[in-house]
Amino acid sequence: MRGQSSRTTSMFILTWRRFAKSKGGLLGLALILLLFAMAALAPWIAPHPPLAMDQKAIYSPPNLKYLLGTDELGRDILSRIIFGSRVIIKVCFSATLVASLVGIALGVMAAYRGGVIDDLIMRFADVLLSFPAFLLAIALVAFLGANVLNIILVIALTRLPRYARLIRGSALSVKQMEFVEAARAVGAGHLFIILRHVLPNCLGPIVVFSTLTLGDSILTISGLSFLGLGIQPPAADWGVMLARGKEYLLTAPWIAFFPGIAIFLTVMGFNLMGDSFRDALDPKSL
Amino acid sequence: MIKRFLYAFPTLLFIIFIVFLFLHLVPGDPAQVMLGVGASEADITVLREKLGLNRPLIVQFTRYVTGVLRGDLGDSFAYRKGVAQVVLERFPATLELTFAAMILACCIGIPLGVESSLRQHSSFDFLCRVIALVGVSFPVFWLAIQLMYLFAVILHLLPLSGRGGPVYTWNGLTHIILPAVALSSIMLPSTMRLTRSSMLEVLNQEYITVARSKGLREIVVVYKHALKNAVIPVITNIGLQFGMLLGGAFLTEHVFAWPGIGQLTVNAIFRRDFPVVQGVILVTALAFLVLNILVDISYAYFDPRVRHEMVKNA
Amino acid sequence: MKNLRHVTMVISCFVLLGLLFLGSPDPSAAAKVGGTLKIAMYADATSLDPGGANDIPSQKAYNLLYDTLLAFDKNMQLVAHVATAWKPSQESKVWTFTIREGVKFHDGSLLTPEDVAFSYQRILEAPEAASQKKSSIAMIESIEAKGNEAIFKLKYPFAPFPGTTAQIQIVPKKLAKEVGNKSFASKPVGSGPFKFVEWVKDDHITYERNDQYWLKKPNLERVLLRPIPEGTVRAMSLMTGEVDVVDQVSSETIPRLQGAKGVELLATTGLNYYWLGIRQYGPPYNNLKFRQMVYSAVDMDGAIKTIFPNGNAVRAYGAVPPLIWPDDNKFLKDNGIRQDKAKAKKLFEELVSEGVMKQDTKIIVAMPNDPERLKLGEILVTNLKEIGVNAELKVMETGAYIDQAVKGKEPYIYSLFSVPRYLDPDAVFSWLFLSGPNGSTHGAKILGLEQMDPKINEPIEKARVISDQAERSKLYVALQRYLMIDRIYHIPAFYRTVMVGKRTEIQDLYPAPNDLFWLVTSFSNVWLDR
């Protein structure tokens, strides 16, 4: 089966080349790498501890000591933004990972078992898709409690139906192909076929959808925080900072402004990447 | 096709059941919340009895479902009025806002998408993409407050919040502009992008070449012939997104004090007003389901291949 | 001779005219009649039927439609309103109110003692009636309408009873019975200064002037109440003039509003009391030394400065809000625990060595989801961490928070606020601390004071039945000292100042300590100078 793997590899290389041609995509990638760098190097590059309150300097505008100003409890905004990147990565990537894994598993099951199981899973996906995502998020978090685990679960829950649909479609089409019959005749197990053929086939849409999910989950979290249902204080999280900061938009606008920019740049980064991936995978756009 | 229809009903029932189960197993006693902290145990018990909260879940659920089939969604805990009435009172406001946002997204998104498709890979194309993505990358409430501050406080051009009346009045019109702009930012990028890719596909078709060779002016070719066909997937996408927006546009409504379903739902969740939350979820799920089916049907109508496939599978 | 008479007459005419002008009122100070007052509230009302809801926005909204037996003056002293006189008998077990003649409801019918009796009965009987109102008049046995009097027979002698009447609105018996509660709620009729016009949910409530108002003719023609949930948006609306009055000015917007053209901020002492409570449901929270440690660790003054940098809160040393007697703050301040990090640390070490708690025992500070108490919680957690305690902040959504506080049995540190239901120390202490054979009040339950402490119950019950204010005052002072200094169940935090924002053209508006809208009162009649 070596021929298959080299086909997959060359597909990767080709896609990557196309992706690299797009200015937007590279910009997006740069932004995301910046995010990771911030998160990894946080303890070393943050000028102040994110929870330290300086009572004498509450609501100070950006100055030399506090480069982006301080918030309502005298905490340094720049440091909180830097540490906030960790929370973002933790929650968003976990949620996307859970959504994709569970979605893929469900989609494969639906495609391979077919029949009743297929119907059941697809109905389940339909049900999940019928709920307006944000409403579901609010309801679940409001009732079950606003902690990190619940937020991850809620975001994953709202995104996994589409993963399931994607994989199922791809798996169904692969199932019918001739080489699969051949592989089966040779004795290849289902899992092998899934990994070798099904996944590479729909890798493209998966990647695109994942990057969009990442961006979307940041907005969902900040929306939840706006309603008081997101990550809880005093944790340094961009959504919380934005939500608290909205009270001070008239008197100390920097409290909400900088986290807003941080969210904006990160979401933009994910969206740009997703966009460019989509273009790179779609031969018609060239 | 028929299978799809048939599946809709158990799906709906399942949705209702999940929502019902969920809302009732959650911490927070609605009777307690309604009566406040100072309430006595005796009163809470009496109210629970009156609201039917002490009966077994199955009984409560059956009552609820039979009610729904009759059009009775129960009574709101907070407002002591029928849920259907409470929701319907606010429906027009949300509908107005959603439509306005949709129209804005189309008026800006479609032309930009068309122009980008004509100037593929140019700086204009890139710029358009960035602009579109900008809107969707900001948290909508942040964008809303910035818009408010600029247009209402600094420029004194537009009113700040609230709904000034039905949209066909001058007051209503000025009040809907800012929230519609804020909300449209969510739909703009996908509309634009979809128009662009759809136009690209259409422009490569033979009949376009034919039209050009006939000597028709470029504008006519593009807008009359190409766009007409390209806009189909865009419309269906808008249909889907519309359903999403109908789900509430909570944050926009909250910030702009827009008297719609979004605000109602958020308040209901915090007040533990189960019937209202259930009612809204039910209505929106129903709308989604119907929309999905309609979209599927329209795909079949427009794309003969899909139609063929559907017939084969039915 | 004729000329002299002529001149005298002319001069006297002029003098007379001059006197007339001097004697007449200055026209520039006259209130202008007419206009619409637009008020922004932080949330919409849920019902305009006083028996239908007791949340604060609803109260503010229906307060304009109805009257009560007694009302408050500028200094929150009880004054006659619909009742012209009131007197106790049988040692405060029976109260007789004389009902004013000639008060008309909006539909033209006369207000009689029958309506009074009905209104109270209605609250006592219907469980939907926000039970809070009900429990504040739960001591009523029966009400009788006799002639022009309403006679209240209580279950036990209760000196503070008149204060409770300021909260119960009078509704027309005949109309309410005729149309039923649901209909009445959608077209409410009262006797108050304004009549109901329309209510578009979540958008606005419109009122118009009641020309037949018995107290005085309201200057305002119309009133518009608009719910605007976002504090920043409310402030901006006031700045642009889109609304005239904003209640609940959020502290964060104060500096901006202070500098804004055409905007004025009014402040008055509030009737609320915020505190940190330590639930007694388990160790180490039920250990006195632990509570002393927490009190010594928390920098309450600093916290108030941080949370209310614009000075709209006053440090509390006791549970009795300003405007209510007795005022023992000086003693409580001087003899209460001060912030002392070293002492707190020492107490912590003692607790650990005595085995009451371990070095790493997790201490939970639970807060509801509102910005001020969140900050208080964060500061407390940080203060505790500074002395080595493993403190953690737990935030809950407000509905769940209250639910948990009332029903749960876990110990933790919490924060709540209370507004006394009537202006009497009895309302403060009984709600917060009374536990009894009839079940504890919520305050006591939340604290975990299930076992009756006679030192708390006896003074409260005794003070209810005696009428001599000096005597009662002595009892309450002793009780408060016991609670705050000896037992430290509460760590008093602050009393929030009531802040109202208004446009400068609005005249004669007094901010109400009980958070209601005082548009037409015995001492004021709001008018618009434009």
Side-chain angles (χ1 to χ4, degrees), chain C residues 77-345:
Chain C
Q77 299 298 313
L78 278 177
V79 294
H81 204 63
V82 165
T84 52
W86 62 102
K87 63 178 194 295
S89 48
Q90 291 187 32
E91 292 176 348
S92 301
K93 202 163 170 207
V94 173
W95 288 86
T96 310
F97 289 81
T98 316
I99 307 301
R100 189 185 298 267
E101 313 260 334
V103 176
K104 289 216 190 99
F105 285 113
H106 299 151
D107 64 353
S109 56
L110 272 176
L111 193 154
T112 67
E114 294 279 333
D115 299 301
V116 174
F118 172 73
S119 308
Y120 278 80
Q121 210 57 42
R122 198 169 178 253
I123 304 274
L124 288 171
E125 278 164 9
E128 284 105 301
S131 194
Q132 268 167 347
K133 267 211 184 120
K134 190 166 152 187
S135 36
S136 68
I137 54 169
M139 74 286 299
I140 297 181
E141 174 88 54
S142 68
I143 314 137
E144 195 194 323
K146 201 160 87 167
N148 69 336
E149 291 177 340
I151 304 169
F152 292 82
K153 290 206 182 69
L154 307 179
K155 293 185 185 143
Y156 46 81
F158 193 63
F161 181 69
T164 67
T165 63
Q167 286 194 307
I168 310 294
Q169 287 75 17
I170 320 259
V171 299
K173 173 176 180 178
K174 191 155 162 289
L175 181 68
K177 277 190 131 160
E178 230 173 70
V179 302
N181 281 341
K182 260 196 176 164
S183 247
F184 181 73
S186 54
K187 274 209 167 72
V189 166
S191 59
F194 293 96
K195 292 197 251 191
F196 172 75
V197 175
E198 75 165 353
W199 184 11
V200 178
K201 299 287 163 28
D202 289 334
D203 197 46
H204 64 266
I205 308 179
T206 317
Y207 307 77
E208 68 180 6
R209 178 198 295 138
N210 174 12
D211 290 297
Q212 311 290 319
Y213 193 44
W214 57 272
L215 181 63
K216 56 178 79 162
K217 177 169 171 207
N219 286 327
L220 295 168
E221 163 103 45
R222 294 196 136 203
V223 178
L224 198 72
L225 235 58
R226 281 189 54 196
I228 301 182
E230 271 301 310
T232 318
V233 180
R234 282 199 300 277
M236 288 199 279
S237 306
L238 191 61
M239 281 160 51
T240 58
E242 218 170 281
V243 300
D244 301 312
V245 175
V246 168
D247 72 340
Q248 283 252 345
V249 170
S250 49
S251 8
E252 301 82 6
T253 51
I254 290 179
R256 197 64 167 80
L257 288 174
Q258 272 167 343
K261 208 170 57 132
V263 172
E264 222 179 285
L265 289 178
L266 305 171
T268 186
T269 36
L271 273 177
N272 52 69
Y273 159 58
Y274 285 73
W275 75 91
L276 284 172
I278 304 181
R279 282 159 65 92
Q280 300 297 298
Y281 281 107
Y285 304 83
N286 54 3
N287 182 306
L288 178 62
K289 209 179 268 187
F290 174 80
R291 304 198 290 277
Q292 285 171 336
M293 175 193 79
V294 175
Y295 204 158
S296 314
V298 67
D299 178 16
M300 193 60 81
D301 288 318
I304 294 180
K305 268 205 222 102
T306 309
I307 304 174
F308 300 99
N310 304 297
N312 53 328
V314 173
R315 172 78 201 267
Y317 295 97
V320 179
L323 290 179
I324 303 186
W325 54 274
D327 179 2
D328 195 28
N329 280 322
K330 188 160 180 325
F331 181 92
L332 292 168
K333 178 176 176 186
D334 293 336
N335 296 286
I337 296 190
R338 308 278 175 95
Q339 191 211 8
D340 187 338
K341 258 217 280 224
K343 177 156 173 246
K345 225 180 162 142

Side-chain angles (χ1 to χ4, degrees), chain C residues 492-511:
Chain C
F494 50 85
Y495 309 118
R496 211 149 166 256
T497 318
V498 167
M499 291 220 91
V500 168
K502 72 170 182 76
R503 304 282 309 167
T504 42
E505 318 89 77
I506 317 302
Q507 305 291 339
D508 217 16
L509 176 69
Y510 288 87

Side-chain angles (χ1 to χ4, degrees), chain C residues 206-493:
Chain C
T206 317
Y207 307 77
E208 68 180 6
R209 178 198 295 138
N210 174 12
D211 290 297
Q212 311 290 319
Y213 193 44
W214 57 272
L215 181 63
K216 56 178 79 162
K217 177 169 171 207
N219 286 327
L220 295 168
E221 163 103 45
R222 294 196 136 203
V223 178
L224 198 72
L225 235 58
R226 281 189 54 196
I228 301 182
E230 271 301 310
T232 318
V233 180
R234 282 199 300 277
M236 288 199 279
S237 306
L238 191 61
M239 281 160 51
T240 58
E242 218 170 281
V243 300
D244 301 312
V245 175
V246 168
D247 72 340
Q248 283 252 345
V249 170
S250 49
S251 8
E252 301 82 6
T253 51
I254 290 179
R256 197 64 167 80
L257 288 174
Q258 272 167 343
K261 208 170 57 132
V263 172
E264 222 179 285
L265 289 178
L266 305 171
T268 186
T269 36
L271 273 177
N272 52 69
Y273 159 58
Y274 285 73
W275 75 91
L276 284 172
I278 304 181
R279 282 159 65 92
Q280 300 297 298
Y281 281 107
Y285 304 83
N286 54 3
N287 182 306
L288 178 62
K289 209 179 268 187
F290 174 80
R291 304 198 290 277
Q292 285 171 336
M293 175 193 79
V294 175
Y295 204 158
S296 314
V298 67
D299 178 16
M300 193 60 81
D301 288 318
I304 294 180
K305 268 205 222 102
T306 309
I307 304 174
F308 300 99
N310 304 297
N312 53 328
V314 173
R315 172 78 201 267
Y317 295 97
V320 179
L323 290 179
I324 303 186
W325 54 274
D327 179 2
D328 195 28
N329 280 322
K330 188 160 180 325
F331 181 92
L332 292 168
K333 178 176 176 186
D334 293 336
N335 296 286
I337 296 190
R338 308 278 175 95
Q339 191 211 8
D340 187 338
K341 258 217 280 224
K343 177 156 173 246
K345 225 180 162 142
K346 189 157 148 292
L347 286 168
F348 179 49
E349 279 156 21
E350 283 174 24
L351 285 166
V352 174
S353 64
E354 284 165 22
V356 180
M357 62 189 287
K358 295 214 230 352
Q359 188 78 29
D360 60 357
T361 307
K362 193 144 51 140
I363 300 298
I364 308 264
V365 175
M367 288 293 161
N369 206 340
D370 91 57
E372 279 131 19
R373 279 178 285 169
L374 271 178
K375 285 185 217 163
L376 185 59
E378 290 182 56
I379 293 176
L380 176 59
V381 165
T382 311
N383 288 151
L384 285 172
K385 280 200 167 125
E386 279 167 5
I387 59 165
V389 176
N390 182 9
E392 190 183 283
L393 180 68
K394 191 168 151 194
V395 182
M396 279 193 255
E397 178 263 310
T398 314
Y401 186 75
I402 297 181
D403 198 64
Q404 169 85 323
V406 173
K407 294 220 181 100
K409 298 260 185 282
E410 297 84 25
Y412 50 83
I413 305 177
Y414 68 94
S415 173
L416 282 177
F417 72 92
S418 75
V419 177
R421 267 174 268 132
Y422 40 93
L423 282 137
D424 189 282
D426 177 70
V428 173
F429 290 102
S430 56
W431 194 95
L432 290 175
F433 301 107
L434 187 63
S435 52
N438 308 318
S440 325
T441 54
H442 277 77
K445 254 202 231 144
I446 294 172
L447 260 182
L449 287 178
E450 304 266 50
Q451 295 107 331
M452 300 199 291
D453 182 347
K455 281 221 188 107
I456 299 177
N457 288 9
E458 276 170 21
I460 295 179
E461 273 154 18
K462 189 151 171 238
R464 273 182 168 174
V465 301
I466 54 181
S467 346
D468 179 35
Q469 187 164 315
E471 278 290 316
R472 298 180 69 209
S473 188
K474 264 199 253 168
L475 287 166
Y476 289 124
V477 166
L479 173 62
Q480 193 170 219
R481 291 182 186 182
Y482 172 68
L483 287 164
M484 300 297 158
I485 300 181
D486 296 336
R487 304 301 301 161
I488 312 182
Y489 295 128
H490 277 197
I491 298 175

